[in-house]
Amino acid sequence: MDEFSRQIAFLEQHSTYARRWLNAHPEWIDWLRSCGQTKVDLQGIQDLLKTSGISRQGLGLEEPQFMANLRLARQRLMIWIAFRDLNGMASLDEVTHGLSHFAELAVANSIAYIREDLKNRFGLPWSKPNDAEMPLMVVGMGKLGGLELNLSSDIDLIFLYEHEGETLGGPKSLSNHEWFSRMGKHLMRLLSEHDENGFVFRVDMRLRPNGDSGPLVCSLEMLEEYLLVQGREWERYAWIKGRLIAPLPGSSEHLYCAKELDQLIRPFVYRRHLDYGVIASIRDLHAQIQHEADKRSSGHQGRSRDIKLGRGGIREIEFLAQMFQLMRGGTDPRFRIRATLEVLSLIGRRGILPSEEIDALQSAYIFLRRLEHRIQVWDDQQTHYLPDDESARSRLASSMAEGGLEGQSQAFMADLDRHQNNVARLFEKAFLLDDSSRLELAPIDLSWEPDAQYFPQTLARWSNWVDSPKQRQLPEKSRLIFDNLMRKTAESLQHDGGDQALLRFFDLLEAIARRSAYLSILAEYPRALFNVLDLLKASQWGAQYLTRHPHLLDHLLNSRTEMALIEQPEEYWREVKANLNMRLDDVMAEGDGSEQAMDILRVTHHTETFITLLADLGIGVDEPLSVEKVSDHLSALADLMLQTTFERVWPGVAQKFGLSQDFFAPFAVISYGKLGGKELGYASDLDLVFLYQSDEADYAAQEIYALLAKRMINWLTAFTSTGSLFEIDTRLRPNGSAGFLVTNAEAFKKYQMREGDNAAWVWEHQALTRARCSAGNIVVGLNFELVRSEVLSQQRNIDQLRIEILVMRRKVHAGHPNASGEFDLKHDSGGMVDIEFIVQFLVLAYSHQHSQLIGNLGNIALLRIAGEVGLIDKKIADSVGNAYRLLRSRQHRLRLDGAEKTRIKLDNESELSDARSAVTSLWLEIFQAPSDAERGS
């Protein structure tokens, strides 16, 4: 027996359906010999339909002949796919995509056939917006929508049309609704009616608005009204898979119709926030489905195990994937995909579930879908029951192994049990089916209140809350969650000195009390609640930030994101930028979209700031980030916001001035101060200067780039529904507030080099030591770096420089008086500003001799270099560098806990006292006078 004969025998052994059809049509065996080794793809299916008499030329056929041709084409396709699948030549995608593409083409060809008759009798529906024929829109739902059809699937369809009206161009006229109703009924008959050649597809229309009681076809307006008024939660899940299959993808009609449909469906399916309310909803729906599956299984002798709807079945994997789609698809467009395996891959790439769990789910899905096909191909039956008969199981074992496990049903059953147990375990984990891990929602005792001994301030707040209108207006379930969260949290904080933490938690609950999705996170996920409490105990600023932006609760569910930020920062920021651009493309594709784009920027900034904060506090990571790493991350985030804003604002400015969209603006955003030195804090403002390149006499360029800068500032500072991004200070530009908002790069160079009457002050050169290009055109940025290097490396009169910097330092000190008796970590003598001025003096005084001082490397690195080249003692350089690190760290912690002024009593603070002394000594050595004018007098 040759290889092909063996493959045919194996096919017939495992499919009575194939054996029956090959006996009836032995000529198909020769056809299989030629095409059986070829992948089933779209072109192959089109060729099959054409050779079966289903084509444009076939539109004139009598209906019985058309139906016969279509049915026989279906049987040949099924045998082609079964031959390749059973013999191990076809991937799961080849099988499901092939069946789905055939369904699309069968629908499209049937519509074309029916259209001819309806056109001749009643004319055609006409689209007013397009002034063109109005097509029947067919939406493939379920597995057809996801290109996941199985070997004996029915197809779930919804029939739509654009708008009401009357047909044109026929002997008689019908309403559009009646015309499309006739087409829909005829289409169903062509596909699903049985004759001696079988059927094409069973058609299920129950997913349409109002199900079996609703009209067979409906207009887009009817659909929109239905979804707004009556759309139910389960319909959101169903529409995830919804895909327009007619008009055929790739046609101009399809593009228009798909866009119109998407505008209705997207806001219904995907919320604009992280939607954790879907967890309970899907859990309830799953329980109903599993109950029905169990009832059906118990009534089927010899078929007790449902691999689709039963425990650990295909539906549980689909539900798990859909949960994450519904939860996140509103804020992350990447989740708006249809295929289950693609969704699982995305969940893995996003770090939402561990890779080993994703691998287990994908392996189980492929195994169960292959098994489903082998159960169905036996006799072309739409069944998902595993037979109890031992011989049937042995046959399935052989077919699953493509002949390699002949008769070993025990090994096959062990594989099945392993996969289904993995699915059930991961499903239970994702949907929190272990009730003991979820918040108890029984009404609490009306007399309960926080213990006055441990929570005196919270008790007063609680007493006001329980009788307040705000509390009474909450839905019952929200009130139950609120009360039980307070009780549970009070219990956990009772021995932790937790009055402040419980007050902060109260603030958070009040902020989210009317947002059931956010309450659900805390009620459903114990890990989120524990992490929230860790945050509230550790940081008042963090508590207030979370209360202002409760959507960030999502990031308290797992720690994988923080680890990615720490371990692979470059790759992390690339992915953040790619995701941000995808979301911006999504909202700006049609029209302006600038307000939504600004919201997306803000939400991204909130999210990444919060992830940095969690790592900073040691939540979800092995050890907390250093203050330097925190500033690096916050500075990288600010750079990303500036660059993205520039990229999104410029096209509108270019269009306004008639410039080509390919013209890349010679414009750069120069950052000074904290951002320039990469020492940004959580609430730092941005000191920015805008440069552009053009001829100095080009006043049009001044107008263009001034508008660009103004629009950028508006994007960055405006308050939207999601807040503001930054406060921006542009006073460091040449001539400060009196100067132009944007500066010509050549004029900037002359100003800094003091060429002419209008010249930079010494303090402006001090500021330049911590300046860099943060965003814009890289060429302009590189030219700025050249100017900066040239300015800093000028030879200066050191005595004069020393006097000027001392005078400036004393002015700064006078502007921050401190009569508290405590040490101001930043502004007092021996503090951070002293160190910054010391470094600036060393850079300006000696860069002409030591070019390594020019680099914008940060104060600690520059102090070390000054020690290495002999400008100051190396040990002193190290001790002052360590002092700067200590001062920044202590300032950072005080600000995290809400301190407005970072001042500390130095009693019993020997480390801080020694640090201050080291700074003061170096200051006096360099400037020969104290930084505080009062001490010098």
Side-chain angles (χ1 to χ4, degrees):
M1 184 182 289
D2 64 14
E3 180 64 13
F4 175 72
S5 299
R6 187 199 65 76
Q7 291 171 335
I8 288 291
F10 194 74
L11 168 66
E12 293 185 335
Q13 178 189 349
H14 293 284
S15 175
T16 59
Y17 161 77
R19 185 162 65 244
R20 192 165 59 244
W21 278 101
L22 290 177
N23 286 337
H25 292 272
E27 71 276 12
W28 289 1
I29 294 178
D30 287 336
W31 168 71
L32 268 181
R33 188 186 295 275
S34 64
C35 75
Q37 308 304 315
T38 305
K39 180 180 179 180
V40 180
D41 59 14
L42 183 58
Q43 184 60 55
I45 296 167
Q46 290 171 334
D47 293 343
L48 171 62
L49 285 166
K50 190 172 183 179
T51 58
S52 300
I54 304 297
S55 64
R56 283 282 169 192
Q57 289 72 34
L59 294 182
L61 294 173
E62 293 296 323
E63 186 169 304
Q65 187 61 53
F66 178 84
M67 291 174 67
N69 290 354
L70 192 56
R71 278 150 180 73
L72 289 171
R74 185 262 189 189
Q75 313 310 347
R76 288 170 68 189
L77 176 84
M78 287 279 286
I79 289 170
W80 184 13
I81 289 175
F83 175 82
R84 288 183 53 77
D85 187 24
L86 284 167
N87 284 291
M89 292 183 281
S91 66
L92 177 61
D93 274 355
E94 180 181 333
V95 174
T96 58
H97 286 199
L99 291 162
S100 302
H101 288 315
F102 179 82
E104 291 172 19
L105 292 171
V107 168
N109 280 288
S110 297
I111 288 174
Y113 183 83
I114 299 164
R115 174 188 172 278
E116 289 300 304
D117 175 59
L118 288 174
K119 175 187 174 185
N120 293 335
R121 295 163 60 200
F122 305 109
L124 295 171
W126 206 253
S127 168
K128 294 176 183 175
N130 293 328
D131 192 26
E133 179 183 347
M134 184 191 303
L136 174 68
M137 293 187 239
V138 181
V139 181
M141 305 290 281
K143 285 189 165 58
L144 175 56
L147 290 172
E148 297 170 326
L149 279 186
N150 57 47
L151 275 169
S152 193
S153 281
D154 59 3
I155 54 175
D156 297 291
L157 302 179
I158 293 176
F159 298 151
L160 305 169
Y161 58 96
E162 191 179 350
H163 59 71
E164 303 295 353
E166 301 286 325
T167 61
L168 303 175
K172 294 182 180 179
S173 181
L174 290 178
S175 69
N176 289 349
H177 184 270
E178 177 61 24
W179 196 94
F180 286 116
S181 294
R182 293 189 182 202
M183 174 172 273
K185 290 173 185 174
H186 200 165
L187 175 60
M188 290 169 63
R189 185 163 58 80
L190 288 185
L191 295 175
S192 60
E193 189 173 279
H194 281 254
D195 62 19
E196 66 273 16
N197 296 305
F199 63 96
V200 187
F201 289 103
R202 306 172 193 90
V203 178
D204 191 334
M205 300 293 299
R206 289 175 295 175
L207 292 179
R208 69 186 188 270
N210 292 306
D212 285 338
S213 62
L216 184 66
V217 298
C218 66
S219 66
L220 291 180
E221 184 179 351
M222 289 168 62
L223 175 66
E224 181 177 28
E225 183 177 353
Y226 172 82
L227 295 177
L228 284 172
V229 177
Q230 300 180 57
R232 288 157 290 183
E233 197 71 12
W234 68 261
E235 289 176 292
R236 290 180 63 202
Y237 322 143
W239 272 101
I240 285 177
K241 298 274 193 186
R243 179 172 63 91
L244 191 70
I245 64 167
L248 277 173
S251 65
S252 58
E253 288 178 316
H254 181 275
L255 289 173
Y256 173 78
C257 294
K259 177 183 166 186
E260 293 293 300
L261 182 62
D262 186 60
Q263 289 175 351
L264 301 185
I265 299 304
R266 186 191 297 181
F268 171 67
V269 175
Y270 299 109
R271 306 297 188 240
R272 291 185 66 183
H273 53 78
L274 283 159
D275 186 3
Y276 278 89
V278 303
I279 299 170
S281 299
I282 295 184
R283 191 166 55 221
D284 293 344
L285 179 61
H286 170 262
Q288 294 171 27
I289 289 174
Q290 194 164 47
H291 177 68
E292 289 300 316
D294 291 343
K295 277 172 58 179
R296 285 199 302 272
S297 292
S298 63
H300 283 83
Q301 186 66 30
R303 297 188 298 173
S304 59
R305 187 160 173 174
D306 188 332
I307 66 163
K308 178 181 178 182
L309 302 180
R311 178 182 179 275
I314 296 166
R315 182 56 52 84
E316 289 192 354
I317 304 173
E318 292 172 338
F319 271 180
L320 192 147
Q322 287 175 321
M323 176 186 77
F324 288 108
Q325 288 184 272
L326 289 172
M327 190 187 295
R328 298 170 181 276
T331 59
D332 188 342
R334 288 175 294 183
F335 281 93
R336 298 173 201 162
I337 52 181
R338 297 179 178 89
T340 301
L341 286 174
E342 289 180 28
V343 178
L344 292 174
S345 294
L346 177 59
I347 293 168
R349 290 197 305 275
R350 296 279 287 111
I352 297 166
L353 291 180
S355 59
E356 59 272 15
E357 294 186 4
I358 296 297
D359 290 344
L361 289 167
Q362 290 181 320
S363 297
Y365 182 80
I366 292 169
F367 181 92
L368 292 169
R369 289 302 308 273
R370 290 180 68 239
L371 176 57
E372 172 188 49
H373 292 159
R374 280 146 182 77
I375 291 171
Q376 293 177 346
V377 80
W378 175 248
D379 198 28
D380 193 17
Q381 294 294 312
Q382 189 188 21
T383 178
H384 303 90
Y385 291 106
L386 185 73
D388 290 337
D389 176 67
E390 183 60 33
S391 64
R393 289 189 174 185
S394 180
R395 174 175 47 75
L396 284 171
S398 173
S399 68
M400 286 294 285
E402 290 118 32
L405 269 178
E406 189 70 41
Q408 294 188 21
S409 61
Q410 287 184 337
F412 157 67
M413 290 302 297
D415 266 357
L416 176 59
D417 288 341
R418 176 174 58 83
H419 285 303
Q420 289 198 292
N421 287 334
N422 281 340
V423 172
R425 173 176 56 83
L426 295 173
F427 184 86
E428 288 165 9
K429 178 183 174 185
F431 285 90
L432 304 144
L433 297 184
D434 177 7
D435 291 339
S436 65
S437 69
R438 303 203 304 268
L439 183 72
E440 183 184 344
L441 292 185
I444 64 171
D445 190 322
L446 292 176
S447 64
W448 182 86
E449 59 185 24
D451 191 318
Q453 178 182 350
Y454 301 105
F455 309 109
Q457 295 180 74
T458 310
L459 174 58
R461 176 93 168 270
W462 176 262
S463 300
N464 292 330
W465 165 258
V466 292
D467 293 324
S468 68
K470 190 174 181 181
Q471 190 263 3
R472 289 194 296 271
Q473 289 166 6
L474 286 181
E476 181 181 1
K477 184 176 179 182
S478 296
R479 188 161 58 248
L480 282 173
I481 295 175
F482 190 112
D483 293 349
N484 280 283
L485 282 171
M486 280 297 296
R487 176 185 55 76
K488 182 175 181 178
T489 304
E491 290 172 1
S492 69
L493 292 174
Q494 191 159 306
H495 304 292
D496 209 2
D499 200 16
Q500 279 302 313
L502 192 56
L503 274 175
R504 293 169 186 174
F505 188 64
F506 210 141
D507 288 338
L508 175 62
L509 285 185
E510 274 207 69
I512 66 174
R514 301 195 68 82
R515 301 290 293 274
S516 59
Y518 297 144
L519 286 174
S520 293
I521 298 177
L522 299 177
E524 299 277 0
Y525 288 96
R527 169 49 49 195
L529 181 58
F530 296 148
N531 285 340
V532 164
L533 296 183
D534 285 345
L535 170 66
L536 300 185
K537 287 185 283 187
S539 170
Q540 180 182 331
W541 185 88
Q544 292 169 342
Y545 197 76
L546 177 60
T547 300
R548 286 199 307 274
H549 310 298
H551 64 88
L552 299 170
L553 280 166
D554 173 59
H555 298 281
L556 291 162
L557 294 181
N558 66 66
S559 60
R560 281 177 284 278
T561 307
E562 294 93 282
M563 292 304 297
L565 171 64
I566 293 168
E567 293 172 357
Q568 299 173 307
E570 290 185 8
E571 183 178 333
Y572 179 87
W573 288 116
R574 274 197 301 272
E575 182 166 342
V576 170
K577 181 172 176 59
N579 186 33
L580 174 59
N581 280 328
M582 182 175 62
R583 295 177 63 190
L584 291 170
D585 289 343
D586 189 47
V587 299
M588 298 186 78
E590 303 299 329
D592 181 20
S594 58
E595 186 172 339
Q596 285 176 280
M598 288 161 69
D599 282 342
I600 287 169
L601 282 175
R602 282 149 180 74
V603 169
T604 300
H605 187 263
H606 299 157
T607 298
E608 300 307 324
T609 298
F610 191 67
I611 288 169
T612 300
L613 173 67
L614 295 179
D616 184 6
L617 297 174
I619 296 173
V621 292
D622 296 332
E623 57 183 58
L625 286 182
S626 67
V627 65
E628 291 91 349
K629 288 291 185 184
V630 170
S631 290
D632 284 347
H633 294 318
L634 294 175
S635 300
L637 176 58
D639 287 353
L640 173 62
M641 294 293 106
L642 290 170
Q643 181 65 29
T644 304
T645 300
F646 164 67
E647 291 169 359
R648 297 294 168 165
V649 169
W650 168 245
V653 175
Q655 183 178 23
K656 179 178 175 63
F657 287 96
L659 300 173
S660 167
Q661 292 294 312
D662 296 329
F663 178 66
F664 190 47
F667 177 93
V669 182
I670 309 301
S671 56
Y672 283 70
K674 293 294 185 189
L675 178 56
K678 294 190 177 180
E679 293 185 350
L680 208 63
Y682 289 111
S684 299
D685 59 2
L686 307 186
D687 295 299
L688 303 179
V689 169
F690 301 107
L691 297 183
Y692 68 94
Q693 281 185 339
S694 74
D695 293 338
E696 288 193 68
D698 186 352
Y699 299 113
Q702 171 82 28
E703 182 184 1
I704 292 168
Y705 299 116
L707 180 61
L708 173 58
K710 286 175 185 175
R711 287 191 177 177
M712 285 186 66
I713 290 171
N714 179 60
W715 269 50
L716 295 164
T717 61
F719 276 88
T720 72
S721 59
T722 52
S724 175
L725 270 177
F726 302 107
E727 291 184 18
I728 289 179
D729 191 335
T730 60
R731 289 174 296 176
L732 287 176
R733 66 187 187 268
N735 298 308
S737 298
F740 292 116
L741 179 61
V742 293
T743 305
N744 181 286
E746 188 60 33
F748 178 82
K749 178 180 180 180
K750 291 177 180 177
Y751 178 81
Q752 294 290 348
M753 295 297 293
R754 298 178 171 175
E755 297 173 2
D757 298 334
N758 189 24
W761 298 81
V762 168
W763 67 263
E764 291 178 281
H765 287 177
Q766 287 179 251
L768 202 61
T769 64
R770 284 156 54 94
R772 63 187 179 86
C773 177
S774 276
N777 189 314
I778 192 170
V779 174
V780 182
L782 290 171
N783 287 337
F784 163 77
E785 291 296 339
L786 293 174
V787 171
R788 177 181 174 277
S789 296
E790 193 173 350
V791 171
L792 297 185
S793 58
Q794 286 180 309
Q795 187 167 351
R796 293 171 171 83
N797 182 315
I798 292 180
D799 290 334
Q800 182 64 30
L801 179 68
R802 182 181 290 114
I803 291 169
E804 290 191 46
I805 289 181
L806 179 62
V807 169
M808 177 54 65
R809 172 67 185 100
R810 288 178 169 178
K811 282 184 180 179
V812 171
H813 192 283
H816 296 86
N818 178 15
S820 68
E822 298 177 337
F823 173 47
D824 189 311
L825 299 174
K826 181 174 182 180
H827 294 291
D828 279 356
S829 60
M832 291 163 62
V833 175
D834 273 10
I835 300 173
E836 290 165 359
F837 272 57
I838 287 170
V839 171
Q840 289 162 12
F841 170 79
L842 293 171
V843 170
L844 294 176
Y846 299 107
S847 285
H848 70 286
Q849 292 176 274
H850 305 286
S851 60
Q852 56 267 57
L853 288 168
I854 294 173
N856 187 350
L857 305 175
N859 292 308
I860 295 172
L862 290 170
L863 282 167
R864 187 187 71 249
I865 291 169
E868 289 171 353
V869 299
L871 298 177
I872 56 178
D873 183 270
K874 287 180 70 173
K875 289 185 178 178
I876 292 174
D878 287 342
S879 64
V880 173
N882 290 333
Y884 190 70
R885 185 179 288 113
L886 174 65
L887 292 167
R888 280 195 67 201
S889 178
R890 294 295 294 271
Q891 179 198 52
H892 183 67
R893 293 297 146 190
L894 285 169
R895 286 191 170 154
L896 277 179
D897 215 31
E900 286 189 27
K901 295 186 182 297
T902 52
R903 295 173 178 174
I904 293 179
K905 288 185 178 179
L906 290 182
D907 305 339
N908 303 317
E909 287 278 4
S910 59
E911 189 179 19
L912 267 181
S913 296
D914 291 346
R916 185 183 191 187
S917 296
V919 176
T920 304
S921 296
L922 181 58
W923 178 276
L924 290 172
E925 179 186 331
I926 289 175
F927 290 99
Q928 299 152 22
S931 61
D932 179 352
E934 294 175 6
R935 292 191 178 204
S937 58

